[in-house]
Amino acid sequence: NNNNNNNNNNKIQTEKEQSSSSPRLPLTMILAGDYNVEFQPGSCLKSFLHQAQNEQENDDVVLQHACTQAHRFFEKDKVLALDEWKELHQKVKNVLFDYCTPPLQRVDTGPTRCAHDDEDDQDSSNDSALASAQKRMANWKLDHFLYTMDRLKPVAQWSTLEDDAESCKLGLPNHRHATSDHLPIACVFEFVERRGRLVQSKKAQLSQTLQTLVEAHQSALTALKQEMEHERQAIDDSLAASRLAQNTTNGESTVKEEEEDDHDGNKEQKKRRKGKPSPEIVAFLRKSRALTKELLQQQLSERQEFIKKILQKESPMSTLLYIEHLVQLPWRKWVEEGGAMHA
């Protein structure tokens, strides 16, 4: 049984690795149902939508309000810092672009739930009769259609509470809608020609631009590596010359030292690696690591800027998918780690 479990776990892990690195195909889908929550500006749920990429959604005031509202329902004694909320907000956006291909949009359906306002429960007095009389009715958009916007276009939909003044006064359920505390929603979609599809000339241009960027990054890394190797060799030669001069000064045979170096060249390097490195080597290693880190960070920024320009387009997913085809990696992983072109 243990062997079978191990085999199954290995198979699952292999499938995950293959699925994370293989190119994706665009899907056409509709996600409909009772979400029991509204798509408020600045909320993590709103981040799933393509329209949430605008500047207003990223405004600190909007994000802080959404953060406060979320904790009013879940963790009243803990207030999440704005930076933490932004991080969570960004993770949701990343999921949108990593797994929702193409991005999702919401049909603008109206409110479907009507009842006493929850906020009045916190401000009301201890007199339950008076509190009940003072409560006002409120309505919420809790039922939604989400759809992939590249192939689908909503053309008709049912009206909801915006056309039912009586239910807005009575709340739901009532004598007209006795079966549920939510109104039903319905929508008619039509298929449209896929927007943002890359023509051959655009593919060629994108491929050339990406290849230029990838080759520049690879050349810079290779040049830095060679530069560091030459500098390390110069330091090794200088240290070896210093040891040789010191040994000669101490009366040891220069010829014997050279013969030992020829015979045990690799052994000397292993011996130095096992012992404490010299100050010159320590300084070199720090310099090499700092230069490599600086170059990698610069190249990461360049890849991020490259993708940022693509995301600002109206229909970026076709371009992102083609990039994944060219590098044989999910585009976000390519941004973070870099990589060569395979197509």
Side-chain angles (χ1 to χ4, degrees):
N1 290 334
N2 289 335
N3 290 334
N4 290 336
N5 288 335
N6 290 335
N7 291 335
N8 289 335
N9 291 336
N10 292 336
K11 181 179 180 182
I12 292 174
Q13 182 63 31
T14 301
E15 291 175 347
K16 286 182 177 179
E17 292 174 353
Q18 291 175 347
S19 62
S20 66
S21 61
S22 59
R24 298 168 293 164
L25 294 176
L27 300 176
T28 300
M29 57 185 175
I30 299 172
L31 305 176
D34 174 8
Y35 287 61
N36 212 34
V37 68
E38 293 191 291
F39 283 74
Q40 294 287 4
S43 67
C44 289
L45 189 62
K46 184 70 174 291
S47 298
F48 275 107
L49 303 184
H50 177 68
Q51 65 190 27
Q53 309 305 315
N54 61 47
E55 293 181 0
Q56 180 185 0
E57 288 292 332
N58 298 313
D59 181 78
D60 283 355
V61 176
V62 174
L63 291 171
Q64 186 63 69
H65 177 73
C67 178
T68 304
Q69 288 295 104
H71 284 88
R72 187 171 68 86
F73 292 104
F74 300 108
E75 299 181 52
K76 298 179 181 179
D77 298 331
K78 176 186 176 184
V79 178
L80 199 66
L82 181 59
D83 288 344
E84 296 176 287
W85 185 257
K86 284 182 176 179
E87 181 180 357
L88 183 61
H89 203 257
Q90 187 60 47
K91 286 182 178 179
V92 178
K93 287 186 178 181
N94 293 348
V95 169
L96 168 66
F97 282 104
D98 285 344
Y99 299 103
C100 298
T101 309
L104 299 172
Q105 186 61 285
R106 176 186 175 274
V107 177
D108 190 22
T109 50
T112 57
R113 170 85 173 108
C114 185
H116 287 130
D117 193 352
D118 292 334
E119 293 184 1
D120 287 344
D121 292 339
Q122 299 180 9
D123 302 328
S124 60
S125 66
N126 294 327
D127 188 337
S128 59
L130 178 62
S132 179
Q134 290 177 339
K135 284 183 178 179
R136 64 184 179 87
M137 303 299 291
N139 52 61
W140 302 271
K141 299 177 181 180
L142 304 182
D143 301 86
H144 311 281
F145 287 106
L146 304 186
Y147 64 96
T148 47
M149 52 189 293
D150 70 324
R151 290 296 312 279
L152 295 172
K153 177 182 177 182
V155 294
Q157 65 194 63
W158 280 0
S159 63
T160 52
L161 286 171
E162 70 272 17
D163 285 341
D164 192 344
E166 184 178 9
S167 291
C168 288
K169 294 179 180 179
L170 299 176
L172 294 171
N174 54 45
H175 66 283
R176 296 183 57 196
H177 307 283
T179 58
S180 174
D181 59 349
H182 287 226
L183 288 186
I185 58 174
C187 182
V188 177
F189 293 88
E190 70 175 7
F191 281 102
V192 296
E193 184 177 354
R194 190 180 299 278
R195 289 177 285 178
R197 177 175 291 180
L198 289 179
V199 297
Q200 193 60 38
S201 60
K202 292 289 186 180
K203 288 183 178 180
Q205 181 181 1
L206 176 62
S207 179
Q208 182 60 48
T209 304
L210 184 61
Q211 184 174 1
T212 301
L213 179 63
V214 168
E215 289 179 351
H217 285 186
Q218 292 174 335
S219 297
L221 288 171
T222 300
L224 178 61
K225 181 180 179 182
Q226 292 174 348
E227 180 184 348
M228 292 298 100
E229 288 176 349
H230 292 157
E231 187 171 334
R232 175 60 187 266
Q233 186 61 52
I235 294 174
D236 287 341
D237 292 343
S238 177
L239 292 175
S242 297
R243 287 194 301 271
L244 185 59
Q246 184 179 4
N247 291 339
T248 302
T249 303
N250 293 335
E252 294 184 20
S253 171
T254 302
V255 176
K256 182 179 179 180
E257 183 70 24
E258 291 175 350
E259 290 175 351
E260 289 178 354
D261 285 343
D262 292 339
H263 184 69
D264 298 324
N266 292 332
K267 184 183 295 184
E268 176 67 19
Q269 293 182 0
K270 292 180 180 178
K271 184 178 180 180
R272 283 191 277 111
R273 280 198 295 267
K274 289 182 180 178
K276 185 177 180 180
S278 67
E280 293 87 349
I281 295 298
V282 171
F284 165 78
L285 291 175
R286 289 175 178 171
K287 174 184 176 182
S288 177
R289 290 166 185 160
L291 289 175
T292 302
K293 182 179 180 180
E294 181 182 356
L295 178 58
L296 290 175
Q297 183 60 46
Q298 175 188 333
Q299 293 183 351
L300 171 62
S301 298
E302 291 174 357
R303 290 192 296 270
Q304 289 174 335
E305 185 63 25
F306 177 76
I307 292 295
K308 181 180 179 180
K309 293 179 180 178
I310 293 174
L311 295 180
Q312 291 173 346
K313 298 178 180 179
E314 181 179 356
S315 302
M317 292 314 300
S318 296
T319 305
L320 294 176
L321 286 172
Y322 191 62
I323 289 175
E324 292 185 348
H325 167 70
L326 293 174
V327 299
Q328 292 296 297
L329 285 172
W331 68 267
R332 194 176 298 282
K333 186 174 182 180
W334 174 79
V335 170
E336 294 297 328
E337 302 176 5
M341 291 178 59
H342 296 272

